[in-house]
Amino acid sequence: MTAHAVFITHRTKAGQRSSAEAVWNRIMKPAITANPNHLVYVYTLPVDEPDVIRAFQLYRTADDAAAFLRTPEYLEYADAVDEHLDGPPHVSSAPVAWVKP
């Protein structure tokens, strides 16, 4: 398997998660839907952490993950969402060892 997983945690400024989510819905949701290299994308809003957004992404390759960060849509999103975030996201990634089909 050559797939590559990315795990992201965003911390928003107090009470601004819905504003950050609106930016994601406007810019990222269509970009991700159109990206064939996103095999899976899970966007979560933890109930017990009202100022946290977590996402899991599964790409075809690590290069595909890196390339997505250079797209105009991602750059627009990063700029637009920044005012709602309490610092940069925590990002970790790893090659995938196994996926349940």
Side-chain angles (χ1 to χ4, degrees):
M1 160 121 352
T2 61
H4 190 76
V6 178
F7 307 87
I8 302 169
T9 298
H10 288 287
R11 296 205 179 277
T12 65
K13 293 177 182 171
Q16 293 196 30
R17 183 167 79 176
S18 62
S19 297
E21 180 186 10
V23 174
W24 186 88
N25 281 322
R26 179 173 54 85
I27 301 170
M28 295 306 292
K29 192 173 188 178
I32 293 162
T33 300
N35 183 357
N37 295 318
H38 271 111
L39 303 177
V40 174
Y41 195 109
V42 179
Y43 186 82
T44 69
L45 305 169
V47 174
D48 59 340
E49 297 176 284
D51 297 321
V52 170
I53 298 167
R54 287 200 177 88
F56 165 74
Q57 303 174 39
L58 184 64
Y59 288 91
R60 294 186 187 281
T61 68
D63 288 343
D64 291 336
F68 187 74
L69 298 178
R70 296 186 300 270
T71 64
E73 295 84 0
Y74 180 80
L75 297 173
E76 177 187 2
Y77 166 76
D79 185 55
V81 79
D82 187 61
E83 70 180 282
H84 306 295
L85 300 181
D86 189 22
H90 177 268
V91 180
S92 61
S93 64
V96 174
W98 182 82
V99 173
K100 177 184 174 184

